[in-house]
Amino acid sequence: MNIKKQIKLDIISMKPYYTLKNLIILSGISLIYSFINESPVVMLSMTLTFAAMFSSTSFLLGENSGIDALYKIFSIDSKKVVIGRYILAGLIFIVVSLLGFSIYAIVSLIKNMPIGLDMLMYLGMNFVLFGIIISFQYPMFFKSGYTKAKTFWFLPILIIAIIGMILGYFIKDFDPILNFVLENQRMIIVGLFILVVVFLAVSIILSIKFYKKRDF
């Protein structure tokens, strides 16, 4: 089985959980949340949480349905399974981001608010944070399985939130930081891209190592 077929199998197993009804409910909640806030940009930050939640679904269903065990029984290359799950996570992030942007655009038009370039900044930061989150989560899932590791799946998000609150408490004036970011955009973008690539590379290597040793 190649990576493409494995991704399709994961998507098929996830399909019953992503119905039109669930999509409408999710979109409705997101719309309401965007309207009650001063700026619809907050919707883009919600996509990060949704993407992180949905990216763990393949592990939950793979464990409950026995698909992961079948991969091992039929001696499917562990490396392909791991890479396929990471690619699937990227696809989930893209789909959720498109949904988030669509809701952001709708709310912006209804509220007669301009769609600014800050949207791209938020999407870029979401990508960086999402990459870091799954870099921590996936090795745990591949090592212990979803059931045992689910207690810790939210840990990376919690750590990022705590760091954000600490910075917000101690840093009262963000203008110097904002100015530095604006003056060094290219350097920061390249630096963050390299950081995410390094995190993902290490994460994939660890995931392959853990998954090969895992017993079902």
Side-chain angles (χ1 to χ4, degrees), residues 14-146:
M14 295 165 62
K15 192 174 180 180
Y17 291 81
Y18 297 113
T19 61
L20 179 61
K21 177 183 176 181
N22 291 338
L23 177 62
I24 293 173
I25 293 174
L26 177 62
S27 301
I29 293 173
S30 301
L31 276 169
I32 293 173
Y33 190 75
S34 298
F35 269 110
I36 63 178
N37 283 274
E38 295 181 0
S39 172
V41 172
V42 71
M43 179 57 229
L44 299 179
S45 64
M46 291 178 64
T47 61
L48 175 63
T49 302
F50 291 144
M53 290 173 58
F54 296 154
S55 64
S56 65
T57 306
S58 58
F59 291 91
L60 168 63
L61 300 179
E63 187 173 294
N64 290 344
S65 63
I67 292 177
D68 286 338
L70 286 176
Y71 288 158
K72 297 291 286 187
I73 292 173
F74 290 105
S75 300
I76 297 174
D77 190 355
S78 299
K79 183 178 180 180
K80 290 182 179 180
V81 175
V82 170
I83 293 176
R85 287 279 167 86
Y86 278 85
I87 293 175
L88 180 59
L91 295 175
I92 290 173
F93 176 80
I94 292 173
V95 172
V96 174
S97 295
L98 289 174
L99 176 62
F101 171 72
S102 300
I103 295 175
Y104 165 84
I106 292 172
V107 176
S108 295
L109 290 173
I110 293 176
K111 286 191 171 186
N112 196 26
M113 299 176 64
I115 301 177
L117 293 177
D118 54 349
M119 169 203 64
L120 298 177
M121 181 183 71
Y122 275 92
L123 287 175
M125 286 305 301
N126 276 357
F127 169 74
V128 171
L129 294 174
F130 179 74
I132 293 174
I133 287 171
I134 67 170
S135 293
F136 281 96
Q137 289 181 344
Y138 274 33
M140 292 189 293
F141 288 143
F142 278 112
K143 181 179 181 179
S144 305
Y146 180 84

Side-chain angles (χ1 to χ4, degrees), residues 99-201:
L99 176 62
F101 171 72
S102 300
I103 295 175
Y104 165 84
I106 292 172
V107 176
S108 295
L109 290 173
I110 293 176
K111 286 191 171 186
N112 196 26
M113 299 176 64
I115 301 177
L117 293 177
D118 54 349
M119 169 203 64
L120 298 177
M121 181 183 71
Y122 275 92
L123 287 175
M125 286 305 301
N126 276 357
F127 169 74
V128 171
L129 294 174
F130 179 74
I132 293 174
I133 287 171
I134 67 170
S135 293
F136 281 96
Q137 289 181 344
Y138 274 33
M140 292 189 293
F141 288 143
F142 278 112
K143 181 179 181 179
S144 305
Y146 180 84
T147 302
K148 293 182 179 179
K150 66 179 180 180
T151 307
F152 304 100
W153 84 268
F154 200 75
L155 188 59
I157 300 177
L158 181 61
I159 292 174
I160 291 173
I162 292 174
I163 292 174
M165 288 188 292
I166 292 174
L167 292 176
Y169 178 80
F170 286 103
I171 301 175
K172 302 302 181 182
D173 186 6
F174 282 90
D175 287 340
I177 298 177
L178 182 59
N179 291 333
F180 175 81
V181 171
L182 293 175
E183 293 172 1
N184 301 274
Q185 291 184 47
R186 292 184 179 179
M187 180 185 71
I188 292 175
I189 291 173
V190 172
L192 289 174
F193 178 78
I194 294 174
L195 178 67
V196 172
V197 170
V198 170
F199 267 79
L200 287 173

Side-chain angles (χ1 to χ4, degrees), residues 79 82-83 86 139 199-209:
K79 183 178 180 180
V82 170
I83 293 176
Y86 278 85
F199 267 79
L200 287 173
V202 173
S203 178
I204 291 173
I205 292 172
L206 289 175
S207 294
I208 293 173
K209 179 180 178 180

